[in-house]
Amino acid sequence: DSGVTQTPKHLITATGQRVTLRCSPRSGDLSVYWYQQSLDQGLQFLIQYYNGEERAKGNILERFSAQQFPDLHSELNLSSLELGDSALYFCASSAGTSIEQYFGPGTRLTVT
Amino acid sequence: GESVGLHLPTLSVQEGDNSIINCAYSNSASDYFIWYKQESGKGPQFIIDIRSNMDKRQGQRVTVLLNKTVKHLSLQIAATQPGDSAVYFCAGCSRYSSASKIIFGSGTRLSIRP
């Protein structure tokens, strides 16, 4: 158990809809990262937050947004969903800017 | 931009033998290179990292080698055990201020023969 929790575990929704994925980092970790894992694209970095502020951006679509709250939990919002957004979404956390990131169990999103 | 990739999508090793998983990267922007292990149904798990100015780093039963000349790194697992069955990812990490960006390779699935 990494100490990172993600909810929900599974999510099935229709095209055009909007969903919110939630992540609670390990106790004390200030950095939260979001990743998308799909069969054709592999594991892709989306975005990083550090102590409530956006710090780094990867291949995150404009339809996706994230935020980190004062209690350090984070949410990833996915809107106008398309079939191609079906994937595993992982959250990870690290202590400050440590290289070692701890990954949560993931949320499996299926868009039908 | 930076990219990392693994040489083989699958690797089968006899239990007890050493495993070597290879990875190549395209440019030298990464400050660190990292190996992750992902077991079925779980999130990736950090194994070991190596700073870009180092050649070798050892952990518990694992060794990472970095060859900057040919832009190649490898993960060696000694005395491979059934619990080592997983997909292994190499990744390059660029850090600046409090930001950290990781580029993952495509992964090698390691299976262990009894």
Side-chain angles (χ1 to χ4, degrees):
Chain A
D1 183 3
S2 67
V4 177
T5 60
Q6 289 186 249
T7 55
K9 194 168 183 176
H10 300 278
L11 197 48
I12 301 174
T13 189
T15 54
Q17 294 299 305
R18 172 190 169 95
V19 297
T20 297
L21 312 184
R22 183 188 168 102
C23 168
S24 292
R26 289 189 322 153
S27 177
D29 282 358
L30 297 178
S31 283
V32 169
Y33 310 80
W34 286 98
Y35 294 87
Q36 179 193 59
Q37 187 174 39
S38 60
L39 283 174
D40 56 342
Q41 295 288 326
L43 195 60
Q44 293 215 331
F45 168 71
L46 296 178
I47 197 164
Q48 178 209 354
Y49 278 81
Y50 175 82
N51 203 21
E53 294 187 8
E54 181 186 307
R55 276 287 183 261
K57 233 172 178 176
N59 300 323
I60 187 165
L61 299 172
E62 284 192 14
R63 300 183 285 110
F64 296 0
S65 64
Q67 54 185 327
Q68 186 179 26
F69 295 87
D71 67 352
L72 301 177
H73 91 271
S74 178
E75 292 181 354
L76 179 67
N77 301 295
L78 314 176
S79 61
S80 303
L81 285 166
E82 302 175 0
L83 294 177
D85 297 327
S86 295
L88 267 169
Y89 290 84
F90 287 105
C91 166
S93 74
S94 69
T97 57
S98 169
I99 285 295
E100 189 167 350
Q101 294 183 17
Y102 294 84
F103 280 74
T107 292
R108 182 173 292 281
L109 174 66
T110 303
V111 182
T112 62
Chain B
E2 177 78 56
S3 71
V4 290
L6 282 128
H7 289 178
L8 293 174
T10 62
L11 179 65
S12 178
V13 174
Q14 190 80 31
E15 183 178 348
D17 287 353
N18 295 338
S19 303
I20 300 176
I21 303 171
N22 296 301
C23 182
Y25 59 96
S26 64
N27 67 49
S28 306
S30 295
D31 304 303
Y32 289 82
F33 293 93
I34 312 165
W35 284 96
Y36 278 89
K37 170 186 180 183
Q38 187 174 22
E39 296 174 89
S40 182
K42 295 185 179 180
Q45 179 186 359
F46 175 93
I47 302 173
I48 191 169
D49 67 80
I50 185 168
R51 200 177 175 112
S52 59
N53 61 359
M54 297 172 64
D55 299 321
K56 180 179 180 179
R57 188 163 186 219
Q58 287 185 292
Q60 189 177 12
R61 277 202 311 120
V62 295
T63 300
V64 56
L65 300 178
L66 177 61
N67 185 329
K68 292 176 283 294
T69 303
V70 295
K71 297 182 179 176
H72 176 274
L73 71 157
S74 66
L75 177 71
Q76 301 178 8
I77 305 173
T80 310
Q81 303 168 358
D84 295 327
S85 290
V87 177
Y88 289 81
F89 295 95
C90 63
C93 179
S94 301
R95 297 209 309 176
Y96 39 97
S97 185
S98 54
S100 185
K101 193 171 176 179
I102 294 183
I103 307 296
F104 281 86
S106 51
T108 289
R109 180 174 297 279
L110 177 65
S111 58
I112 315 301
R113 302 191 304 272

